[in-house]
Short mmCIF file of all heavy atoms in Angstrom, two decimals:
data_model
loop_
_atom_site.label_atom_id
_atom_site.label_comp_id
_atom_site.label_asym_id
_atom_site.label_seq_id
_atom_site.Cartn_x
_atom_site.Cartn_y
_atom_site.Cartn_z
N LYS A 17 0.82 -1.22 -0.01
CA LYS A 17 0.00 -0.01 0.01
C LYS A 17 0.86 1.25 0.00
O LYS A 17 0.51 2.24 -0.66
CB LYS A 17 -0.93 0.00 1.21
CG LYS A 17 -2.15 -0.86 1.08
CD LYS A 17 -3.01 -0.67 2.34
CE LYS A 17 -4.36 -1.25 2.15
NZ LYS A 17 -5.25 -0.99 3.30
N SER A 18 1.96 1.23 0.74
CA SER A 18 2.82 2.43 0.81
C SER A 18 3.46 2.71 -0.54
O SER A 18 3.60 3.85 -0.95
CB SER A 18 3.86 2.28 1.89
OG SER A 18 4.67 1.15 1.65
N VAL A 19 3.87 1.64 -1.27
CA VAL A 19 4.44 1.83 -2.58
C VAL A 19 3.39 2.35 -3.55
O VAL A 19 3.66 3.28 -4.34
CB VAL A 19 5.04 0.49 -3.09
CG1 VAL A 19 5.50 0.62 -4.54
CG2 VAL A 19 6.15 0.05 -2.19
N LYS A 20 2.21 1.82 -3.49
CA LYS A 20 1.12 2.25 -4.38
C LYS A 20 0.79 3.73 -4.08
O LYS A 20 0.57 4.52 -5.01
CB LYS A 20 -0.12 1.37 -4.18
CG LYS A 20 -1.14 1.57 -5.21
CD LYS A 20 -2.20 0.49 -5.11
CE LYS A 20 -3.13 0.55 -6.29
NZ LYS A 20 -4.16 -0.50 -6.27
N MET A 21 0.76 4.12 -2.82
CA MET A 21 0.44 5.51 -2.48
C MET A 21 1.56 6.43 -2.92
O MET A 21 1.31 7.53 -3.43
CB MET A 21 0.16 5.66 -0.94
CG MET A 21 -0.16 7.09 -0.56
SD MET A 21 -1.62 7.78 -1.39
CE MET A 21 -2.91 6.90 -0.57
N THR A 22 2.80 6.03 -2.73
CA THR A 22 3.93 6.83 -3.15
C THR A 22 3.88 7.15 -4.66
O THR A 22 3.96 8.28 -5.05
CB THR A 22 5.26 6.17 -2.79
OG1 THR A 22 5.34 5.96 -1.39
CG2 THR A 22 6.45 7.01 -3.23
N SER A 23 3.74 6.10 -5.42
CA SER A 23 3.75 6.29 -6.87
C SER A 23 2.44 6.95 -7.33
O SER A 23 2.50 7.89 -8.17
CB SER A 23 3.95 4.97 -7.60
OG SER A 23 2.94 4.04 -7.25
N GLY A 24 1.32 6.56 -6.81
CA GLY A 24 0.05 7.13 -7.25
C GLY A 24 -0.07 8.63 -6.88
O GLY A 24 -0.53 9.42 -7.70
N LEU A 25 0.33 8.98 -5.69
CA LEU A 25 0.24 10.37 -5.27
C LEU A 25 1.27 11.23 -6.03
O LEU A 25 0.94 12.36 -6.39
CB LEU A 25 0.45 10.50 -3.77
CG LEU A 25 0.06 11.80 -3.15
CD1 LEU A 25 -1.38 12.18 -3.47
CD2 LEU A 25 0.21 11.73 -1.63
N GLY A 26 2.43 10.68 -6.30
CA GLY A 26 3.40 11.40 -7.09
C GLY A 26 2.86 11.71 -8.49
O GLY A 26 2.99 12.84 -9.03
N LEU A 27 2.21 10.69 -9.09
CA LEU A 27 1.63 10.93 -10.43
C LEU A 27 0.45 11.90 -10.35
O LEU A 27 0.32 12.75 -11.26
CB LEU A 27 1.14 9.58 -10.98
CG LEU A 27 2.24 8.62 -11.38
CD1 LEU A 27 1.65 7.24 -11.70
CD2 LEU A 27 3.01 9.15 -12.58
N SER A 28 -0.33 11.82 -9.30
CA SER A 28 -1.43 12.78 -9.13
C SER A 28 -0.93 14.20 -9.00
O SER A 28 -1.48 15.13 -9.61
CB SER A 28 -2.27 12.36 -7.91
OG SER A 28 -3.39 13.19 -7.79
N PHE A 29 0.13 14.40 -8.23
CA PHE A 29 0.70 15.72 -8.08
C PHE A 29 1.25 16.23 -9.41
O PHE A 29 1.02 17.40 -9.81
CB PHE A 29 1.86 15.71 -7.06
CG PHE A 29 1.44 16.13 -5.69
CD1 PHE A 29 0.86 15.23 -4.82
CD2 PHE A 29 1.65 17.45 -5.26
CE1 PHE A 29 0.48 15.61 -3.55
CE2 PHE A 29 1.28 17.82 -3.99
CZ PHE A 29 0.70 16.91 -3.14
N MET A 30 1.97 15.37 -10.15
CA MET A 30 2.52 15.78 -11.43
C MET A 30 1.42 16.12 -12.45
O MET A 30 1.49 17.11 -13.19
CB MET A 30 3.43 14.70 -12.00
CG MET A 30 4.77 14.62 -11.27
SD MET A 30 5.95 13.47 -12.03
CE MET A 30 5.30 11.90 -11.49
N PHE A 31 0.38 15.30 -12.47
CA PHE A 31 -0.75 15.57 -13.40
C PHE A 31 -1.43 16.87 -13.03
O PHE A 31 -1.81 17.65 -13.92
CB PHE A 31 -1.74 14.37 -13.32
CG PHE A 31 -2.88 14.51 -14.27
CD1 PHE A 31 -2.73 14.09 -15.58
CD2 PHE A 31 -4.13 15.01 -13.89
CE1 PHE A 31 -3.76 14.18 -16.48
CE2 PHE A 31 -5.16 15.10 -14.77
CZ PHE A 31 -4.99 14.70 -16.09
N ARG A 32 -1.57 17.11 -11.74
CA ARG A 32 -2.22 18.34 -11.28
C ARG A 32 -1.46 19.56 -11.77
O ARG A 32 -2.04 20.57 -12.18
CB ARG A 32 -2.34 18.33 -9.77
CG ARG A 32 -3.16 19.43 -9.18
CD ARG A 32 -4.62 19.10 -9.32
NE ARG A 32 -5.44 19.97 -8.51
CZ ARG A 32 -6.60 20.46 -8.89
NH1 ARG A 32 -7.12 20.12 -10.04
NH2 ARG A 32 -7.28 21.23 -8.10
N ALA A 33 -0.13 19.47 -11.68
CA ALA A 33 0.71 20.63 -12.07
C ALA A 33 0.83 20.75 -13.60
O ALA A 33 0.64 21.81 -14.17
CB ALA A 33 2.08 20.50 -11.44
N ALA A 34 1.17 19.62 -14.26
CA ALA A 34 1.46 19.69 -15.70
C ALA A 34 0.22 19.81 -16.59
O ALA A 34 0.22 20.56 -17.54
CB ALA A 34 2.27 18.44 -16.10
N VAL A 35 -0.81 19.08 -16.27
CA VAL A 35 -1.98 19.04 -17.16
C VAL A 35 -3.04 20.02 -16.68
O VAL A 35 -3.62 20.76 -17.47
CB VAL A 35 -2.55 17.60 -17.22
CG1 VAL A 35 -3.83 17.59 -18.08
CG2 VAL A 35 -1.51 16.65 -17.79
N GLU A 36 -3.32 20.01 -15.40
CA GLU A 36 -4.39 20.90 -14.86
C GLU A 36 -3.94 22.27 -14.49
O GLU A 36 -4.74 23.13 -14.21
CB GLU A 36 -5.05 20.19 -13.67
CG GLU A 36 -5.69 18.88 -14.02
CD GLU A 36 -6.20 18.08 -12.84
OE1 GLU A 36 -5.71 18.32 -11.70
OE2 GLU A 36 -7.05 17.21 -13.05
N GLY A 37 -2.62 22.47 -14.54
CA GLY A 37 -2.05 23.83 -14.32
C GLY A 37 -2.16 24.38 -12.93
O GLY A 37 -2.08 25.56 -12.70
N LYS A 38 -2.30 23.50 -11.96
CA LYS A 38 -2.41 23.95 -10.54
C LYS A 38 -1.14 23.54 -9.82
O LYS A 38 -0.83 22.35 -9.62
CB LYS A 38 -3.64 23.29 -9.89
CG LYS A 38 -3.83 23.65 -8.47
CD LYS A 38 -5.10 24.35 -8.26
CE LYS A 38 -5.18 24.62 -6.75
NZ LYS A 38 -6.18 25.50 -6.40
N ALA A 39 -0.38 24.55 -9.39
CA ALA A 39 0.88 24.27 -8.69
C ALA A 39 0.62 23.79 -7.26
O ALA A 39 -0.34 24.27 -6.62
CB ALA A 39 1.72 25.54 -8.66
N PRO A 40 1.43 22.87 -6.77
CA PRO A 40 1.23 22.41 -5.38
C PRO A 40 1.49 23.53 -4.37
O PRO A 40 2.29 24.44 -4.63
CB PRO A 40 2.23 21.28 -5.23
CG PRO A 40 3.10 21.29 -6.41
CD PRO A 40 2.51 22.18 -7.43
N LYS A 41 0.83 23.42 -3.26
CA LYS A 41 1.06 24.40 -2.17
C LYS A 41 2.46 24.24 -1.60
O LYS A 41 3.14 23.22 -1.80
CB LYS A 41 0.05 24.18 -1.04
CG LYS A 41 -1.40 24.51 -1.43
CD LYS A 41 -2.32 24.42 -0.27
CE LYS A 41 -2.19 23.16 0.51
NZ LYS A 41 -3.13 22.97 1.55
N ARG A 42 2.89 25.21 -0.85
CA ARG A 42 4.21 25.23 -0.29
C ARG A 42 4.51 24.00 0.59
O ARG A 42 5.61 23.47 0.59
CB ARG A 42 4.41 26.50 0.49
CG ARG A 42 5.78 26.73 1.00
CD ARG A 42 5.91 28.05 1.64
NE ARG A 42 7.31 28.32 1.93
CZ ARG A 42 7.76 29.45 2.28
NH1 ARG A 42 6.96 30.48 2.39
NH2 ARG A 42 9.04 29.61 2.52
N GLY A 43 3.56 23.56 1.36
CA GLY A 43 3.79 22.43 2.29
C GLY A 43 3.39 21.07 1.72
O GLY A 43 3.26 20.11 2.46
N ALA A 44 3.20 20.98 0.40
CA ALA A 44 2.73 19.74 -0.19
C ALA A 44 3.67 18.57 0.04
O ALA A 44 3.22 17.44 0.21
CB ALA A 44 2.47 19.95 -1.67
N SER A 45 4.94 18.80 0.07
CA SER A 45 5.90 17.70 0.28
C SER A 45 5.70 17.06 1.64
O SER A 45 5.92 15.87 1.81
CB SER A 45 7.34 18.19 0.09
OG SER A 45 7.67 19.16 1.10
#
C-alpha cells in the first residue's frame, strides 16, 4: 500500500501541475 500510495500520489501531483495547471502548495511535500 505504501508503494502504491507513493507512486500514485506522485503521479497525481505531477498531473495536477502539468496538465491541470495547478501548482502544489508550499507544504505539499
Side-chain angles (χ1 to χ4, degrees):
K17 283 183 166 183
S18 60
V19 173
K20 193 170 190 177
M21 181 58 74
T22 301
S23 58
L25 195 54
L27 290 170
S28 184
F29 264 83
M30 287 187 283
F31 185 82
R32 189 78 166 142
V35 177
E36 298 172 340
K38 178 118 179 169
K41 294 187 309 185
R42 186 174 188 168
S45 64

